[in-house]
Amino acid sequence: MVMKSHPALLMMDLINEIVHPDGKYAGDGYYQQVSERQVLEHAAIALDRARTAGIPVIHVVVGFSGDYAQWPPASPVFAEARADRRLVLGTWATRIHDAVRPLAGEPVVAKHRVSPFYGTPLEEMLHALRVDTLLLTGVTTDLVVLSAAREAHDRDYRVEVLADATATADDALHETALTLLARTATVTTVEQASPWRSASRHASTDRDAGPDQGAVQGMVAQQGAVSNRSR
């Protein structure tokens, strides 16, 4: 018997600062790789399929308040952010790219570190939605995607990485990250991801009665209030 899964799609760090040609990280290779690999196009397909199948979608954005109160000074990943005024929450920089913009009601989780789980209500949202399988898209493959996959694995989620909806600064680093990801996750593509085929059959019966969407929205509102107080 095939075990029925309850997936959610995570759209991670697909923000203007990283994936738009005018973003401050564009020149580091991210925009070129995103463009050549058609990451936004593939991510948009995943987004459409999740919505059609009734699979919950959670968007994740990295950023800091205007005073950089949450900025980690010892981090080599975020070393340039404060001096160059990068990744400021509530600005164009941390807005999700128009190609994959959220619909009304889709939660957006703000994070201040690489991991989407660290210091965020993400896991509480997943529990409220009764999720047991995560579909991962985003930039970069070697940072947020790899971190999310490893942490999700240790939290007992099944993980599928949609490789054609991910990218990093260059091909070699991307391929290395996928090799590492295969240790704790299933590396697949948007077209081949397994939940699309099963979720649509169960969405109308299981999801309507089960997940607490109100609780998820409450978590998003609470996170927003905390973020606003820190600005």
Side-chain angles (χ1 to χ4, degrees):
M1 182 178 67
V2 178
M3 186 165 54
K4 185 169 56 179
S5 67
H6 295 280
L9 175 66
L10 298 191
M11 307 282 288
M12 300 183 293
D13 293 347
L14 296 172
I15 59 175
N16 290 326
E17 194 82 290
I18 299 172
V19 302
H20 191 282
D22 296 332
K24 290 185 177 180
Y25 287 103
D28 296 339
Y30 299 117
Y31 173 71
Q32 180 180 350
Q33 288 293 312
V34 166
S35 179
E36 290 179 356
R37 297 179 59 80
Q38 298 184 302
V39 168
L40 290 173
E41 292 85 347
H42 292 136
I45 293 171
L47 190 56
D48 180 67
R49 291 190 177 185
R51 290 166 175 166
T52 299
I55 293 172
V57 176
I58 299 176
H59 303 265
V60 179
V61 302
V62 61
F64 308 101
S65 56
D67 60 3
Y68 287 89
Q70 313 89 358
W71 177 72
S75 169
V77 176
F78 300 114
E80 298 175 324
R82 182 168 185 167
D84 200 28
R85 297 293 299 172
R86 300 184 182 196
L87 300 174
V88 177
L89 291 170
T91 68
W92 175 88
T94 54
R95 189 180 307 155
I96 294 167
H97 193 283
D98 284 345
V100 289
R101 62 182 177 272
L103 293 179
E106 289 179 349
V108 178
V109 174
K111 66 186 177 79
H112 311 304
R113 299 294 187 272
V114 172
S115 169
F117 288 96
Y118 182 87
T120 76
L122 177 59
E123 188 165 20
E124 296 172 73
M125 293 179 182
L126 297 174
H127 285 165
L129 293 167
R130 300 186 181 179
V131 167
D132 59 20
T133 301
L134 297 182
L135 309 175
L136 304 185
T137 74
V139 178
T140 65
T141 323
D142 57 314
L143 292 174
V144 65
V145 178
L146 183 59
S147 180
R150 284 178 167 173
E151 292 206 38
H153 168 273
D154 286 354
R155 288 169 166 80
D156 299 329
Y157 293 98
R158 291 187 290 274
V159 181
E160 293 193 29
V161 176
L162 310 187
D164 53 348
T166 69
T168 189
D170 60 63
D171 287 330
L173 190 54
H174 176 71
E175 292 302 325
T176 299
L178 292 180
T179 299
L180 293 172
L181 280 159
R183 301 290 300 274
T184 54
T186 298
V187 177
T188 184
T189 64
V190 171
E191 184 64 30
Q192 296 298 319
S194 61
W196 313 139
R197 296 186 290 275
S198 61
S200 60
R201 295 196 298 269
H202 307 301
S204 62
T205 56
D206 294 329
R207 295 240 176 248
D208 291 347
D212 189 345
Q213 298 284 353
V216 171
Q217 292 304 321
M219 294 171 202
V220 173
Q222 183 178 26
Q223 188 193 30
V226 170
S227 179
N228 288 335
R229 286 199 298 270
S230 68
R231 295 184 189 183

